[in-house]
Amino acid sequence: MKTAVFIEPGKMVAQDLPKATIKAPTDAVLKVVRACVCGSDLWWYRGLAKRPANSPAGHEAIGIVESVGAEVTNVQPGDFVIAPFTHGCGHCAACLAGFDGDCQNNTDSEVVGYQGEYLRFTNADWALVKIPGQPADYTDAQLNDLLALSDVMATGYHAAVSAEVKAGDTVVVMGDGAVGLCGVIAAKLLGAQRIIAMSRHADRQQLAQEFGATDIVAERGTAAVERVMALTAGAGADAVLECVGTAQSVDTAVQVGRPGAVVGRVGVPQKAEMNTNNLFWKNIGLRGGIAAVTTADRQVLLDAVLKGAIHPGKVFTQRFDLDHIQDAYTAMDQRTAIKSLLVISD
C-alpha cells in the first residue's frame, strides 16, 4: 500500500509498504478515503520534536471498513467511518468520563500512519464513528467537513468545552491555525456572543470572521493584551481558547481572561514548565489537553456537520495526492495552506 513516510526533517516521501492487516481481535482495517496534514506534524517535520526516521505519518482520516477483528461488533465491513486520532476503548474510567483521548487501555505502540491507502485501527469497536451512507452520498465539501471531525474540529471543540464557553460569553481564541479556526466555530456553536480571534494572516482572519469571529487582534505579547482589554472595556474575556502551545500564547491567554475565567488549553505544550502563580492572582482556571474526539463527534459534532450547521472543512485550502506528499507538508510549513488535504481514494 502507498503510504506517506517521514524520512528526516524536511523530507517526506510516498513508499509502498505491506498492506495493513488485523493483528488483534479489537482491530479494524480501513480503506482510507481522505486524510490530511496536521499542524502538530510540523513539529517533527521541522526537527523541533523527535520522530523515528522512516516511519509512517498522519493521524486523521475518514475511510471504509474493509475487515474487522473477532471482537469488533459495532462496525462491519462496508461502513463509512471517521477514524479519530484517539483510540478510546469506551469502558475505562477515562472513556466513561468522556475523555477518550486519555483512554487507559490504549497500549498499542506501533507507529501507524493515517496518510496511506490502508490503516490498521486499534480499539475499533468503540472508537470509530460511523457516518450514515457512503462517500458517494456526500459532496466534496461535506467530505472535508467529515474529515475535520477526526481531529481539528473536535480539538477546537474540546478547547471551548474545557474553557466552559456558554451563551452570551466573550471568548478569545489564541491561534489561527486549523484548530484555532475550529475553536471559533466551537465558541459560536456553544453560544458565544463575542469572539475575538488572535490572527496576523489575512486569509485566516477572513475565515475566522466567516466562522463567527466578531473581532480580530493582530498584535502579540503586551500589545495583544492591551488590545483585548480595550475591546472588553478593561474586563477581559469570559473564556480563552489556547490553541498554539507556545509559552507566549499561554502567557497571553492567562492575561486576557477576566478574574474567574477559564483557559481551555489544547495547544501541544512546547515548554516544560509554566508559572502557575499568574493563575492564582486572578482566579483563572486552566483546563484542557488531548481532545475527546469520539465523545465529541457522537454527542454533538457529527450531527452538526450532517445538518450543515458547521463547515470546518473550509480549513482545507489546498489538496494533494500521496505522490505529492512533500508538497503537502511544504505548503503547511510555508503557510501557503491553512491545512493540506490528501485525497486518497473515491
Side-chain angles (χ1 to χ4, degrees):
M1 64 178 187
K2 188 180 294 185
T3 303
V5 175
F6 169 68
I7 302 301
E8 61 185 16
K11 186 176 182 180
M12 298 292 301
V13 299
Q15 293 183 353
D16 284 324
L17 301 181
K19 185 179 176 181
T21 59
I22 300 292
K23 295 185 178 181
T26 51
D27 288 350
V29 170
L30 312 181
K31 180 181 180 182
V32 176
V33 173
R34 295 192 177 193
C36 50
V37 181
C38 184
S40 62
D41 294 333
L42 296 181
W43 291 109
W44 45 261
Y45 177 78
R46 291 169 172 167
L48 301 175
K50 292 184 179 180
R51 185 181 185 88
N54 302 306
S55 60
H59 56 264
E60 306 160 90
I62 54 175
I64 301 295
V65 177
E66 184 177 78
S67 58
V68 298
E71 295 179 12
V72 178
T73 59
N74 286 332
V75 295
Q76 59 187 1
D79 283 346
F80 184 27
V81 295
I82 300 164
F85 75 91
T86 53
H87 295 258
C89 69
H91 55 77
C92 70
C95 288
L96 290 173
F99 293 92
D100 57 270
D102 297 294
C103 178
Q104 296 165 306
N105 290 321
N106 185 15
T107 58
D108 197 299
S109 60
E110 180 184 5
V111 178
V112 176
Y114 287 42
Q115 296 165 4
E117 292 178 317
Y118 292 90
L119 165 67
R120 172 186 170 236
F121 190 92
T122 59
N123 275 347
D125 195 54
W126 186 86
L128 290 172
V129 179
K130 286 195 285 188
I131 304 168
Q134 293 293 304
D137 299 326
Y138 296 91
T139 66
D140 182 74
Q142 288 173 322
L143 290 174
N144 289 350
D145 288 340
L146 293 166
L147 175 60
L149 300 187
S150 63
D151 182 353
V152 287
M153 185 61 238
T155 299
Y157 183 76
H158 188 66
V161 170
S162 296
E164 300 178 7
V165 174
K166 60 185 181 301
D169 275 356
T170 293
V171 178
V172 169
V173 180
M174 309 291 304
D176 63 358
V179 171
L181 291 167
C182 287
V184 172
I185 295 175
K188 182 73 172 179
L189 189 64
L190 291 171
Q193 183 174 19
R194 192 172 192 184
I195 303 171
I196 302 169
M198 313 291 273
S199 174
R200 294 182 291 181
H201 305 91
D203 58 337
R204 297 161 192 247
Q205 292 173 352
Q206 181 178 351
L207 194 51
Q209 290 174 316
E210 182 179 342
F211 284 162
T214 56
D215 303 270
I216 301 292
V217 171
E219 292 86 351
R220 289 290 182 269
T222 300
V225 175
E226 292 174 349
R227 179 64 176 148
V228 171
M229 289 302 172
L231 288 170
T232 59
D238 300 302
V240 184
L241 280 54
E242 197 290 302
C243 304
V244 181
T246 63
Q248 183 186 59
S249 180
V250 175
D251 181 63
T252 301
V254 172
Q255 292 187 65
V256 299
R258 62 158 169 78
V262 179
V263 176
R265 186 184 187 187
V266 296
V268 179
Q270 298 304 311
K271 187 177 181 180
E273 68 283 335
M274 69 173 290
N275 182 4
T276 59
N277 289 347
N278 294 330
L279 300 170
F280 178 87
W281 297 114
K282 290 177 66 180
N283 276 284
I284 298 288
L286 179 66
R287 292 197 61 191
I290 303 168
V293 182
T294 300
T295 297
D297 284 354
R298 287 205 176 120
Q299 290 182 349
V300 177
L301 299 178
L302 178 58
D303 185 60
V305 163
L306 294 176
K307 289 180 177 177
I310 61 173
H311 297 287
K314 290 184 178 181
V315 300
F316 298 109
T317 54
Q318 290 194 44
R319 64 177 55 211
F320 304 87
D321 57 23
L322 283 174
D323 290 330
H324 294 86
I325 190 65
Q326 179 67 52
D327 296 335
Y329 274 78
T330 298
M332 292 275 290
D333 183 42
Q334 297 181 357
R335 286 186 172 270
T336 60
I338 296 176
K339 192 167 177 67
S340 293
L341 169 71
L342 297 172
V343 179
I344 310 296
S345 65
D346 295 330

